Amino acid sequence: MLKVKNLHASVGDKEILKGLNIEVKAGEVHAVMGPNGSGKSTLSAVLAGRDEYEVTAGEVDYLGKELLELNPEERSWEGVFLAFQYPVEIPGVSNINFLKTAINERRKYFEQDPIAAKDFLKMVKEKSALVELSDKLKNRSVNVGFSGGEKKRNEIFQMAMLEPKLSILDETDSGLDIDALRIVAHGVNTLKSKDNATIVITHYQRLLDYIIPDFVHVLYDGRIIKTGGKELALELEEKGYDWLTKEEA
Amino acid sequence: MVVMKENNLLSSLSQMGVGLGAKNQAFELLKGLEFPTRKTEDWRYTSVKKILKKKYVQFNEAEKVGLSNEIVPSLDAYNVVLVNGVYSKELSDLNFPDEIVLDTFPKALEEHVSLIHSTFNGIAKNNEEVFTALNTSYFHEGVFIHIPKKVKLEKSIHVIHVNTKCNVVSNVRLLIVADEFSEVGVVQSFASVNAMECLTNSVTEVFVKENAKVVIDKVQSEEPKNNLICTVQVNQKANSTFKINTATVSGDFVRNGVNIEVDGENCTSEMNGLYMQKGIQHVDNHTKIGHLKPNCTSFELYKGVLSDKSTGVFNGKVIVAVDAQKIEAYQQNKNILLSREATMNAKPELEIFADDVKCSHGTTTGQFDDEAIFYLQTRGISKESAKKLLIEAFADEVIDKVDSEELRIWIKEKLD
Ligand SMILES: Nc1ncnc2c1ncn2[C@@H]1O[C@H](COP(=O)(O)OP(=O)(O)OP(=O)(O)O)[C@@H](O)[C@H]1O
Ligand SMILES: [Mg+2]
């Protein structure tokens, strides 16, 4: 589904991704771990199409398409979803209305008619139940006045509404209490199928108790320096990153 | 003594119509005034050079014109239409509720002479504002609205100014007297049809008596090449409510002056504005609220969206007199610049002489929030639509201050 080859990306003169490789197949869950500032969010932003980051080398194949050639909305229409580490607050834009606009723009891209109001409402009801998002939050301005945990739940609600093929969850677990973590993980697991894939960026092994990864990658200084199975997460939890980064140096 | 320099604007004008002593007085006063230059404090960022240089034509007969909802909002209201500054009987509604007075100026004088004499020109600042003095000297038609005691008008009165010819100059005048415990809403629309290089100089005086409520919605949708100067002078007595919303959708040069004297206790005053200039258009909102008596509240919210090379000015003055204790005055001005070449000059001015007051003011001018746009894009909303959503969200806060839903919808449609 996704093949990232030798990806280099910078902001200004600063190179952040320094030759990153990763391959994700349909049906798989990949965990990406790594110390602060190693480039995890940069990787997700580059995959989602943030133009602040300049890709200086490498290629990304997504379902046979050159992903880097597409603008962010086209990537979304093609099924890429990014749950933000820091979801953005947008005063005055209602959570529900913007999702309706989003769904209809995608339908237009695929030359489909706008979604019927009834179907949309049914979908909202179903998907918000999945992450236990209250009506109050659904109708408010996007993320405005949401608590940290509510923002993360709202990200998964949006993911559920948009039914992506490739979801990238950037630290969706940080700031969640145990119950919220379970709810979010339940949401992600319910949406999982043999046709879609998930990249979970996290610092904590505990999330991986709920969302079981097929692969665990360690991202360090802009590169994947180690890949293993889910037991690698346990090892990292125990030993930290030192033993790997020393090897690297 | 300074003697006013001749210019093309002045030589285009001739006195006609209404015979009122006030006109001659203003005319004498005008001779001693000067048009503002960049050195005039209140006009620092707004040059009138271009306006004075043009040659204009003054009309005295109303043209025929079709008014669609595209041009001026079609509202469920009593319509009074002035075409090129001249009252059009044909386009105006002729049936009004008996209890109110709604008349054009020369005619109103015949029947309501004493009321007009005791109010007209009573609060207009002829000696300070040259365009007001110009209006008083040269206006030849206008509208007089009198709402007697306890009358609450359910439908609004819609005064429509429309230009249909090029180079039209008109000095239009509105006088609104709302007696004790009365209520009225007045919509004032400024529009044009195939007209260019016009100058409309409008002066409105509003008397809000004790316990009365007046709401004015000004809708300015002049075609891009037209010029508009609008001065609204308000006097509020005790326990009264006054609100004015100004939506500037278009217009080459638009200057709005709103000046409220709150001359009674327990009053509420509200001023809101939305401006969305494009091209090389210029908009200037100067507001002034003078709290002369204690225990009053005023709210002010002006928001602007400036594209291309357009320019905007906001100047909001709040004055609280020595004995006017327990005043709450809130003012905000927020702007989005859609291009690097658009500019905004914003200046709040507070002159507080009382000590027990609550005042706040703030002004922000910024670009689009790129993070928000990217966020929306990642959800499948195109960049274009994302910008539209953000502009709508920004403008909604102030559009929501307009009470009439049909007018809110009309303004929203003009946002695109
Ligand atoms: N827009 C930017 N401008 C300048 N530097 C940036 C920018 N974005 C990221 N960086 C830098 O790139 C490096 C990687 O940042 P990134 O956010 O990708 O790290 P991360 O792995 O997600 O860290 P964390 O675990 O703290 O979320 C950091 O040193 C960061 O300061
Ligand atoms: Mg990060």
Side-chain angles (χ1 to χ4, degrees):
Chain A
M1 176 178 272
L2 181 78
K3 284 195 199 103
V4 180
K5 271 190 234 153
N6 187 34
L7 186 64
H8 289 255
S10 359
V11 171
D13 291 340
K14 186 176 173 190
E15 185 165 58
I16 303 172
L17 300 183
K18 303 173 178 174
L20 185 140
N21 298 291
I22 192 170
E23 184 170 348
V24 179
K25 296 203 177 76
E28 293 177 347
V29 174
H30 288 242
V32 174
M33 304 181 80
N36 293 131
S38 57
K40 302 181 299 295
S41 293
T42 303
L43 172 65
S44 45
V46 169
L47 293 178
R50 177 104 212 220
D51 59 9
E52 199 181 339
Y53 299 97
E54 194 196 345
V55 175
T56 50
E59 50 194 79
V60 180
D61 178 279
Y62 169 72
L63 295 171
K65 291 192 175 68
E66 233 333 314
L67 187 71
L68 301 175
E69 299 290 303
L70 306 177
N71 60 36
E73 56 268 33
E74 288 166 335
R75 297 181 198 200
S76 164
W77 297 331
E78 292 290 349
V80 176
F81 180 85
L82 168 61
F84 282 57
Q85 180 174 3
Y86 305 107
V88 183
E89 296 185 9
I90 313 181
V93 174
S94 115
N95 219 10
I96 288 300
N97 284 348
F98 110 90
L99 275 173
K100 195 168 182 183
T101 308
I103 286 172
N104 283 334
E105 289 212 12
R106 181 172 61 187
R107 292 177 69 97
K108 198 167 130 202
Y109 176 72
F110 289 112
E111 295 177 351
Q112 294 167 327
D113 289 333
I115 188 166
K118 185 171 98 270
D119 296 340
F120 179 75
L121 288 177
K122 199 175 139 221
M123 198 169 162
V124 167
K125 207 170 154 194
E126 197 183 300
K127 308 293 186 182
S128 57
L130 188 65
V131 288
E132 297 175 26
L133 195 73
S134 69
D135 283 350
K136 181 184 85 196
L137 294 183
K138 278 185 293 192
N139 294 314
R140 246 196 247 159
S141 292
V142 181
N143 294 326
V144 177
F146 286 39
S147 75
E150 286 167 345
K151 283 181 184 166
K152 297 300 177 82
R153 252 193 270 181
N154 194 26
E155 293 291 283
I156 303 304
F157 166 60
Q158 293 175 34
M159 170 179 153
M161 291 291 290
L162 296 170
E163 301 175 328
K165 293 192 184 111
L166 175 67
S167 306
I168 306 161
L169 311 182
D170 191 357
E171 292 197 30
T172 303
D173 56 330
S174 44
L176 292 185
D177 62 38
I178 290 293
D179 289 336
L181 185 71
R182 240 181 251 137
I183 292 166
V184 163
H186 171 69
V188 173
N189 287 329
T190 310
L191 298 168
K192 204 179 136 181
S193 82
K194 64 178 190 351
D195 301 318
N196 60 28
T198 314
I199 298 176
V200 188
I201 296 171
T202 183
H203 285 294
Y204 307 104
Q205 136 71 23
R206 64 167 193 181
L207 176 70
L208 305 176
D209 286 340
Y210 297 99
I211 303 173
I212 303 186
D214 299 295
F215 298 94
V216 174
H217 307 272
V218 177
L219 177 52
Y220 175 73
D221 193 23
R223 263 184 295 252
I224 303 284
I225 57 162
K226 185 152 185 89
T227 296
K230 64 171 192 281
E231 63 291 343
L232 177 58
L234 287 167
E235 201 174 348
L236 291 170
E237 182 103 323
E238 202 179 303
K239 300 204 261 176
Y241 294 106
D242 267 9
W243 60 287
L244 282 172
T245 57
K246 277 201 194 101
E247 227 168 84
E248 186 60 10
Chain B
M1 194 176 119
V2 257
V3 176
M4 179 168 265
K5 280 203 265 310
E6 264 306 304
N7 58 43
N8 282 337
L9 167 61
L10 280 174
S11 50
S12 308
L13 294 167
S14 62
Q15 279 190 307
M16 52 184 198
V18 192
L20 261 174
K23 280 183 81 165
N24 295 328
Q25 282 164 25
F27 188 67
E28 287 308 311
L29 202 65
L30 185 65
K31 287 184 195 163
L33 295 174
E34 271 180 300
F35 280 100
T37 65
R38 292 283 181 145
K39 292 197 186 104
T40 316
E41 188 53 37
D42 268 353
W43 293 83
R44 256 178 81 185
Y45 300 106
T46 298
S47 165
V48 296
K49 244 193 204 152
K50 237 169 62 184
I51 288 177
L52 303 181
K53 233 169 48 193
K54 285 181 186 147
K55 285 209 165 94
Y56 301 93
V57 205
Q58 206 171 293
F59 275 71
N60 52 18
E61 232 173 283
E63 295 277 321
K64 285 187 185 164
V65 60
L67 293 178
S68 65
N69 187 50
E70 181 58 30
I71 301 161
V72 282
S74 308
L75 304 173
D76 181 24
Y78 306 109
N79 292 323
V80 182
V81 183
L82 286 87
V83 182
N84 301 321
V86 185
Y87 172 69
S88 163
K89 203 169 170 179
E90 215 181 313
L91 293 172
S92 302
D93 286 336
L94 301 173
N95 293 317
F96 305 110
D98 286 340
E99 60 265 35
I100 67 160
V101 176
L102 179 52
D103 227 331
T104 55
F105 249 110
K107 210 169 139 265
L109 262 179
E110 292 163 21
E111 286 164 39
H112 310 282
V113 70
S114 67
L115 182 56
I116 290 179
H117 273 288
S118 65
T119 50
F120 181 82
N121 213 32
I123 48 177
K125 299 262 184 286
N126 293 295
N127 48 346
E128 291 169 27
E129 304 267 353
V130 59
F131 287 100
T132 299
L134 192 80
N135 179 287
T136 311
S137 311
Y138 289 103
F139 92 97
H140 51 92
E141 232 161 353
V143 180
F144 173 52
I145 298 169
H146 177 218
I147 313 295
K149 257 186 208 170
K150 293 189 186 165
V151 173
K152 295 188 173 155
L153 205 58
E154 253 168 55
K155 274 209 252 180
S156 295
I157 295 168
H158 191 181
V159 181
I160 299 168
H161 305 271
V162 58
N163 285 319
T164 63
K165 293 274 187 238
C166 292
N167 306 98
V168 176
V169 62
S170 54
N171 285 289
V172 290
R173 189 87 176 202
L174 208 64
L175 173 60
I176 302 170
V177 181
D179 282 349
E180 291 77 2
F181 293 95
S182 70
E183 277 186 34
V184 65
V186 177
V187 181
Q188 206 182 5
S189 290
F190 296 87
S192 45
V193 183
N194 301 325
M196 283 207 303
E197 313 282 346
C198 297
L199 171 63
T200 303
N201 180 30
S202 158
V203 172
T204 300
E205 288 175 282
V206 188
F207 292 85
V208 193
K209 304 270 183 72
E210 286 173 17
N211 297 84
K213 178 179 177 186
V214 176
V215 177
I216 297 181
D217 294 302
K218 277 198 298 175
V219 184
Q220 304 171 322
S221 58
E222 284 282 357
E223 283 166 309
K225 286 261 172 238
N226 289 321
N227 310 293
L228 181 57
I229 299 172
C230 265
T231 310
V232 179
Q233 200 70 44
V234 185
N235 180 275
Q236 271 187 271
K237 292 287 187 257
N239 308 311
S240 68
T241 305
F242 176 75
K243 166 154 116 171
I244 182 163
N245 302 312
T246 306
T248 311
V249 169
S250 174
D252 193 42
F253 171 102
V254 180
R255 161 87 175 202
N256 289 307
V258 175
N259 189 349
I260 306 176
E261 288 169 0
V262 191
D263 190 15
E265 291 196 39
N266 304 313
C267 291
T268 306
S269 322
E270 200 176 331
M271 293 176 268
N272 304 300
L274 174 67
Y275 39 96
M276 335 179 226
Q277 258 36 29
K278 297 180 192 66
I280 53 160
Q281 300 176 358
H282 177 80
V283 61
D284 177 341
N285 281 293
H286 261 69
T287 68
K288 186 166 155 189
I289 181 152
H291 285 290
L292 308 175
K293 299 276 161 67
N295 298 313
C296 293
T297 312
S298 63
F299 302 93
E300 185 168 10
L301 176 65
Y302 273 76
K303 293 186 108 173
V305 181
L306 300 176
S307 331
D308 308 323
K309 293 184 178 170
S310 63
T311 46
V313 179
F314 173 80
N315 185 296
K317 204 179 251 186
V318 177
I319 302 163
V320 180
V322 184
D323 298 324
Q325 302 296 357
K326 304 252 186 263
I327 295 294
E328 290 183 33
Y330 305 99
Q331 182 191 82
Q332 260 195 322
N333 172 237
K334 299 183 196 169
N335 305 286
I336 298 185
L337 304 183
L338 297 185
S339 111
R340 284 179 194 285
E341 289 164 302
T343 45
M344 181 69 207
N345 284 294
K347 188 175 168 201
E349 283 184 64
L350 303 186
E351 294 175 16
I352 317 278
F353 300 103
D355 43 35
D356 186 11
V357 298
K358 234 195 246 173
C359 287
S360 74
H361 65 91
T363 150
T364 57
T365 298
Q367 264 86 30
F368 261 131
D369 180 354
D370 287 337
E371 290 238 21
I373 290 180
F374 177 63
Y375 187 82
L376 293 169
Q377 279 180 291
T378 63
R379 271 51 181 153
I381 294 176
S382 65
K383 197 169 194 171
E384 196 96 323
S385 312
K387 284 186 178 173
K388 233 180 89 182
L389 268 182
L390 293 181
I391 292 175
E392 279 168 17
F394 177 80
D396 272 354
E397 185 193 2
V398 63
I399 294 176
D400 284 346
K401 307 282 182 190
V402 174
D403 299 322
S404 145
E405 189 185 5
E406 44 185 352
L407 195 52
R408 283 199 302 269
I409 292 171
W410 193 88
I411 297 168
K412 279 183 196 184
E413 275 170 8
K414 292 285 171 190
L415 266 177
D416 301 345

